[in-house]
Amino acid sequence: MGCVQGVTMEFASPLAETGEYVFTLTKGTHTDTCSAFVPLRRDGTEPTCEGMLINRQEVTTRTEDGIQGTAGNAIASVWVGGEHDALSLTVTRDRTEILRADLTPTYRGIEINGEGCGECPMATHTVGG
């Protein structure tokens, strides 16, 4: 598996209230904006994002054939690739600001392919309260 440097901003409480969420992420002088809906639009009309990934809480189901994980409705985190000195995230729900976070990512080397296979710089921060 290849190394993809990045920052995960995990929400202290998953975003689960019904509505349209808009994520505005500023990295340096560049700003990306992305929309997502709760509940997740499963009919193919959920917007796609550029510059960040919106991660849903996983729902695990158990059947006789095994265990399966699928995307749930609640939004658990936002991920952005690259190595950044500072990030600013603003989240609105139905045009009302619900979260604002400024952070300086703290990267650590993760050996995603196992011990001795090289480190990939990744950062994880909890945002919101």
Side-chain angles (χ1 to χ4, degrees):
M1 186 157 94
C3 171
V4 180
Q5 300 180 95
V7 180
T8 300
M9 291 158 276
E10 295 178 342
F11 298 112
S13 297
L15 308 178
E17 289 189 44
T18 298
E20 178 183 12
Y21 290 82
V22 176
F23 302 85
T24 304
L25 181 64
T26 302
K27 41 195 174 186
T29 59
H30 184 79
T31 299
D32 290 313
T33 301
C34 179
S35 296
F37 293 86
V38 171
L40 171 65
R41 291 182 173 175
R42 290 177 166 81
D43 61 359
T45 62
E46 185 79 18
T48 57
C49 297
E50 289 188 34
M52 70 183 98
L53 294 175
I54 306 300
N55 301 304
R56 303 286 177 152
Q57 209 170 26
E58 187 173 289
V59 175
T60 303
T61 56
R62 298 175 192 276
T63 65
E64 291 177 7
D65 298 327
I67 299 172
Q68 177 181 353
T70 58
N73 290 314
I75 299 168
S77 65
V78 172
W79 180 87
V80 60
E83 202 163 340
H84 306 281
D85 293 329
L87 295 170
S88 178
L89 176 68
T90 303
V91 181
T92 63
R93 184 184 65 246
D94 297 331
R95 297 187 186 107
T96 299
E97 185 176 300
I98 61 168
L99 184 145
R100 179 179 295 269
D102 296 312
L103 60 105
T104 302
T106 303
Y107 293 88
R108 60 188 181 100
I110 306 293
E111 292 188 287
I112 57 176
N113 291 314
E115 193 172 329
C117 290
E119 293 184 345
C120 185
M122 295 183 181
T124 301
H125 294 272
T126 301
V127 294

